Amino acid sequence: MAPESVPPIPPTTRPGLRKIAPYWYPYTTMAKGRWFDREILEIVSTEFRDRSVEYYRYALESGVTTINGKIALPGTIVRNGDRLENVVHRHEPPVTSTPVKILHHDEEREFIVIDKPGSIPVHATGRYFYLSLVEILQREFGYKKVYTVNRLDRLTSGLMIIGLSSQRAHSLSEEFIAGAVKKEYIARCTGEFPAGEVIVEQPLLTVDRQMGLNIVHPDGKHAKTIFTRLHYDANSNSSVLHCRPLTGRSHQIRVHLQYLGYPVANDPVYSETKIWGPTLGKGGIDTTPSEERSAPVPPPHLPSSSNPEQISTTAAGVAEQVSIVEGEEKPKLLPRETGHDIGMGSPVPLSAEAVGVITRLRNMKDEDEDWSRWRDVVFKAKGRLHPKGMKVKPLPPRGKRERGGPSFTPDSTTSGAPTPESEPETPEPIQLTESEALALLQPDAQLASSPALKVPPAPDAPSPAQRDKQAKAQVEVQAQNDGALYCAECYLPLHPDPPPERLYIFLHALRYTTSLGVFETEMPEWAAPGWEWDRSQ
């Protein structure tokens, strides 16, 4: 049980934000199977959606990505056994300042029980590294090594059991896999949930990995959840529920509540009419396969990549027009630009309705950042990326690379193609040193300090309310960043700090019953009767 020394959060408090300054980070990985024989620009623009295709092309052309120690250009082909090194300027999104709490530490049995705040991812992923739970436990709490057993979504708060040895983590994981752990959650959903016990037993399938989207689908994995209403608040038209997931599928409680027609009240994905329409996916969606696809809809001020002649580098009078030289071949459209990347990671053919949901989800994500997306092309008028203070390890000697791989020749014309092991060895080119990289990527100091970094775009949203929101966001960004609207090192458009309460959802892991004991947290503040939240955003 949770110790009495852990106080509940007073209902009147609102946590602030926890942020860290941007930093250069060298990322290294071996090529994954699904990357083989594909161009690197097509890979990164399909696998990651944090930035525009134009930005990824610009970053590659800046020379910050290497394959086996050689600079990779947008058209470089990734082969089996390739080792990719990419230097990125990481802007970790803020998380709430609600602290991670250690509820129980059992040294003898080698595990801890913690209360994870919503907004913090468990593992380093995407844009998160230092603000991930594993890093926080190791760096701030002094645990040399931690082994996660159960994983909560970034937006979900609550109980987690962490092994302090691989053996303990393995035994606990087997309990979870076998369904021997009794899990209990608390959720606040939209509407007046029926009284009594409600059981949902619908299979779930992940249909879009980049967006993390799951739906009820006959080809999905078996999932069962039991819901019981605790109380209903008429003022907010929401109900607080006790939830018992008998299986452990991704987004299980969120999708099952949506299926019933009572989605988690502040869920940015499964409770959004812009994505699902007025019924919010109640009863599930059509699953009949379809080949229908459509390209993402760009903001009105940022033309589609299919017309690169029209893409301007900046706005508000500080830009110059970019045009394609007559006779020069236009860049080919990538799957992300045509919409054909939708479904690439799905285990089953998608229906037209599923494709529409994913397309609208992607468009909404872009629209949320619309006030600054035009500045994704500001780099066209700037210098190259310029990593500062980065430390990159040399490429390991032949035969000692992580996870192995075939041999390669240093000939740039092979685009990293493997060569037979029987061929004579050729000296392996080493990764760029820090001084070499800095010399190659040294920017023009005048460009780095250009006043253009502080020029606000003219509000251009389709409605007066949205234009007002754009203008206010620009003012907030400048106030938070000494007048700058762009990062001076990587030219990334900066964003205003989000309200802390928008960084988590009303879903909390309350109690686990295991072979090691029963562990629980305090009830979340938002579960209290009569609790209200700001729904104006």
Side-chain angles (χ1 to χ4, degrees):
M1 301 292 286
E4 295 182 359
S5 59
V6 180
I9 300 175
T12 56
T13 63
R14 287 291 183 273
L17 294 176
R18 178 177 183 177
K19 304 195 299 183
I20 60 172
Y23 55 92
W24 288 103
Y25 181 82
Y27 174 76
T28 301
T29 185
M30 298 300 293
K32 305 181 188 301
R34 62 179 180 272
W35 298 355
F36 296 169
D37 303 319
R38 294 166 60 190
E39 292 183 1
I40 191 168
L41 175 60
E42 190 263 317
I43 293 171
V44 297
S45 64
T46 301
E47 295 272 330
F48 311 107
R49 297 193 61 85
D50 287 338
R51 305 188 186 182
S52 67
V53 174
E54 290 83 2
Y55 189 94
Y56 289 129
R57 180 178 287 110
Y58 149 68
L60 285 166
E61 290 173 347
S62 289
V64 295
T65 300
T66 62
I67 295 180
N68 306 319
K70 297 177 291 186
I71 290 178
L73 295 177
T76 301
I77 303 296
V78 174
R79 307 291 188 185
N80 185 4
D82 279 350
R83 169 174 160 168
L84 287 71
E85 297 99 354
N86 184 41
V87 182
V88 299
H89 197 233
R90 223 167 191 162
H91 289 246
E92 293 198 34
V95 299
T96 68
S97 61
T98 302
V100 174
K101 298 176 183 177
I102 307 296
L103 304 180
H104 181 78
H105 183 174
D106 193 319
E107 293 186 13
E108 182 178 351
R109 295 187 291 179
E110 300 180 306
F111 73 93
I112 59 176
V113 180
I114 64 109
D115 186 354
K116 182 189 85 71
S119 77
I120 297 178
V122 174
H123 298 284
T125 179
R127 291 182 290 173
Y128 294 92
F129 182 75
Y130 292 113
L131 294 180
S132 64
L133 177 67
V134 169
E135 287 295 317
I136 290 172
L137 288 174
Q138 292 181 162
R139 294 174 182 273
E140 299 180 18
F141 289 86
Y143 294 105
K144 291 183 179 180
K145 187 73 174 176
V146 294
Y147 302 85
T148 57
V149 176
N150 67 302
R151 185 180 65 85
L152 295 179
D153 293 331
R154 177 177 62 86
L155 300 176
T156 304
S157 61
L159 198 74
M160 288 188 64
I161 302 176
I162 310 289
L164 299 179
S165 70
S166 58
Q167 294 82 0
R168 175 58 65 196
H170 178 71
S171 64
L172 281 168
S173 295
E174 287 186 330
E175 279 192 52
F176 276 91
I177 293 171
V181 175
K182 180 182 177 182
K183 298 173 286 186
E184 300 171 67
Y185 286 69
I186 298 295
R188 182 180 282 269
C189 70
T190 299
E192 185 173 1
F193 197 84
E197 190 174 87
V198 177
I199 300 176
V200 183
E201 194 165 3
Q202 294 291 336
L204 301 179
L205 184 70
T206 301
V207 293
D208 191 89
R209 189 172 53 83
Q210 288 79 18
M211 296 286 102
L213 187 72
N214 297 269
I215 62 172
V216 169
H217 195 285
D219 292 333
K221 296 180 179 179
H222 171 255
K224 184 176 181 179
T225 314
I226 302 173
F227 299 101
T228 305
R229 190 181 79 189
L230 300 181
H231 60 82
Y232 169 68
D233 288 332
N235 288 338
S236 61
N237 186 32
S238 63
S239 303
V240 174
L241 311 177
H242 177 266
C243 316
R244 283 192 57 205
L246 302 188
T247 49
R249 308 306 177 200
S250 181
H251 294 184
Q252 177 173 323
I253 294 175
R254 298 166 67 182
V255 179
H256 275 176
L257 282 175
Q258 181 200 43
Y259 181 83
L260 291 174
Y262 302 94
V264 173
N266 67 337
D267 195 319
V269 175
Y270 300 103
S271 184
E272 177 56 65
T273 56
K274 290 181 181 178
I275 300 171
W276 303 92
T279 64
L280 285 175
K282 181 179 180 180
I285 64 174
D286 177 54
T287 58
T288 306
S290 170
E291 295 298 322
E292 180 181 335
R293 295 292 186 275
S294 60
V297 179
H301 55 274
L302 185 58
S304 168
S305 298
S306 59
N307 293 308
E309 307 97 324
Q310 300 176 11
I311 298 178
S312 60
T313 58
T314 54
V318 296
E320 55 184 286
Q321 191 75 7
V322 174
S323 59
I324 300 297
V325 178
E326 186 175 356
E328 183 178 339
E329 184 179 354
K330 297 180 180 179
K332 65 180 179 181
L333 294 180
L334 301 173
R336 174 169 162 182
E337 296 171 296
T338 63
H340 283 82
D341 63 325
I342 296 177
M344 286 180 65
S346 174
V348 299
L350 297 182
S351 67
E353 187 172 2
V355 170
V357 166
I358 296 170
T359 301
R360 291 189 292 273
L361 177 59
R362 293 182 174 189
N363 288 343
M364 191 188 75
K365 182 179 183 294
D366 290 340
E367 182 182 335
D368 287 342
E369 301 177 356
D370 193 19
W371 66 269
S372 66
R373 278 195 72 223
W374 71 271
R375 281 179 278 130
D376 259 11
V377 293
V378 72
F379 54 80
K380 291 181 183 293
K382 306 299 175 186
R384 286 180 164 183
L385 292 175
H386 51 292
K388 293 181 179 178
M390 70 172 187
K391 296 180 180 179
V392 181
K393 296 179 181 179
L395 193 70
R398 182 183 301 276
K400 293 185 179 181
R401 296 184 193 170
E402 296 179 12
R403 293 174 54 189
S407 300
F408 296 86
T409 68
D411 183 1
S412 60
T413 62
T414 65
S415 298
T419 58
E421 291 289 347
S422 59
E423 289 187 9
E425 285 195 3
T426 308
E428 186 76 44
I430 63 169
Q431 166 72 21
L432 293 177
T433 65
E434 178 179 354
S435 59
E436 289 172 336
L438 291 175
L440 177 65
L441 306 175
Q442 185 64 39
D444 187 318
Q446 292 183 345
L447 286 175
S449 60
S450 170
L453 297 176
K454 298 184 178 182
V455 176
D460 57 3
S463 72
Q466 290 173 318
R467 288 194 293 272
D468 183 59
K469 182 179 179 181
Q470 288 177 337
K472 289 180 178 178
Q474 294 164 20
V475 172
E476 289 181 33
V477 167
Q478 291 184 307
Q480 295 164 3
N481 297 281
D482 298 324
L485 287 160
Y486 314 85
C487 172
E489 293 195 42
C490 70
Y491 314 119
L492 179 74
L494 303 176
H495 298 272
D497 289 338
E501 55 271 21
R502 293 199 68 189
L503 297 179
Y504 61 89
I505 60 175
F506 300 148
L507 183 60
H508 180 86
L510 179 70
R511 183 184 296 114
Y512 290 157
T513 302
T514 74
S515 64
L516 299 176
V518 181
F519 308 99
E520 69 177 72
T521 72
E522 299 286 347
M523 287 286 281
E525 60 166 342
W526 46 259
W531 189 83
E532 295 276 359
W533 70 99
D534 183 4
R535 285 165 283 174
S536 62
Q537 297 293 332

